Amino acid sequence: MNALPREVLKWLQSLDLSISVKNPKWDFSNGYLVAEILSWYHPKEIKIHCFNNGTSIQSKLLNWNLLETFFKNKNYAIDRDVMEGTIHCKSAAAEVLVEQLYTTLTNRPTYRLTPRSHTFNDLSYQSKLPLHARATASTAIKNNLANTELETGPDTSHLMNKTQHIISLHQQHRQNQRLQDPDRFGIKPMLGEIRPKVKPESNQKNRDGICQLNQGRKSRPVSANRVPANVQFAEIKVKQSGRDLPSSNMEELKGKLNNDMFGTYQPTVKLGESNGYSAVAQHSR
């Protein structure tokens, strides 16, 4: 009862219910009290004698099927996961259900500093425990997967997905523990964590200074940077082979190449002098 807001508690006490609400987790699980609350606002549509005040899973499913049909007809904003969490006695699910009923039936909001989440697990409780007392993977599955869920599950794959989700949350919780207390797990810092980080402002200042220095320098041509000033150039004659052949020899050579069907002919050309020139550098001392 301490988890419910004060205005919700006063509202429940004003309804004069047949059962005193002491533990919402167990009192609202079979849906009988929910039907009794709705009968105060819709007496013609909700007949309390149609609901069974039993604790078996069959009684719970029968009552909640009638309530879910009523919620759909009235367009009441009662979430499906909240109803399933209340059926299976999940932590804080019944409190969320009562608050949604209060807001829907009275058109009054509930005032809370932190909004409730619809992930009904024991992670908030586990985070308050010391590290050595927190649950293992098998204990997390046992605490967050009720026996009634195993009985009423639609198929095996649905239960496997639930189990895998619980294990993934547990692994994420363990990773957070390693970050909170690395000395307990023997985690050594990496080189990137030991190295002092340089502020980006100082790097930007260095870049601006280098750009200003480069702007102050005068650019020179590439040839002036590579060739020394004391180098002079001179032209020399060279001999080249087969560049200046007579026209008669060229016609004879073309005819022989055209008549060669198997490509076995290899012409021999006499060496001759040409008037080509090339420039080389001479270093003057």
Side-chain angles (χ1 to χ4, degrees), residues 186-205:
I187 301 175
K188 296 181 179 179
M190 301 176 66
L191 293 177
E193 298 175 355
I194 299 175
R195 181 180 178 274
K197 297 182 179 180
V198 182
K199 295 182 179 180
E201 297 179 357
S202 59
N203 292 338
Q204 187 66 27
K205 291 180 180 179

Side-chain angles (χ1 to χ4, degrees), residues 228-232 282-284:
N230 56 356
V231 174
Q232 298 179 359
Q282 293 181 352
H283 192 278
S284 61

Side-chain angles (χ1 to χ4, degrees), residues 160-188:
M160 289 178 63
N161 292 335
K162 279 189 174 182
T163 307
Q164 187 62 38
H165 179 65
I166 294 171
I167 292 175
S168 62
L169 289 177
H170 174 73
Q171 291 177 350
Q172 184 180 1
H173 186 60
R174 295 286 292 179
Q175 291 293 334
N176 295 334
Q177 292 180 16
R178 295 171 70 89
L179 295 176
Q180 292 175 4
D181 192 2
D183 297 334
R184 184 176 186 273
F185 296 93
I187 301 175
K188 296 181 179 179

Side-chain angles (χ1 to χ4, degrees), residues 4 24 26-27 60 63 80 89 143 161-162 168 204 208 217 219-220 251 268 275:
L4 292 173
W26 303 104
D27 296 335
K60 292 180 180 181
N63 293 342
R80 174 66 183 177
C89 301
N143 294 340
N161 292 335
K162 279 189 174 182
S168 62
Q204 187 66 27
D208 296 341
R217 296 177 181 176
S219 61
R220 294 183 297 174
E251 295 294 335
T268 56
N275 54 357

Side-chain angles (χ1 to χ4, degrees), residues 103-163:
T103 305
T104 304
L105 296 175
T106 62
N107 293 325
R108 299 175 185 174
T110 56
Y111 300 98
R112 184 175 292 276
L113 296 177
T114 57
R116 290 185 183 271
S117 63
H118 290 185
T119 55
F120 306 116
N121 49 45
D122 63 339
L123 288 181
S124 59
Y125 169 72
Q126 293 292 332
S127 60
K128 298 177 183 178
L129 297 176
L131 294 177
H132 67 275
R134 295 182 182 181
T136 59
S138 59
T139 309
I141 296 173
K142 180 182 177 182
N143 294 340
N144 296 291
L145 190 64
N147 293 331
T148 54
E149 292 183 82
L150 301 177
E151 297 177 7
T152 60
D155 51 8
T156 308
S157 61
H158 180 72
L159 297 176
M160 289 178 63
N161 292 335
K162 279 189 174 182
T163 307

Side-chain angles (χ1 to χ4, degrees), residues 92-106:
E95 288 82 353
V96 175
L97 175 70
V98 175
E99 291 181 9
Q100 289 184 355
L101 285 175
Y102 172 79
T103 305
T104 304
L105 296 175
T106 62

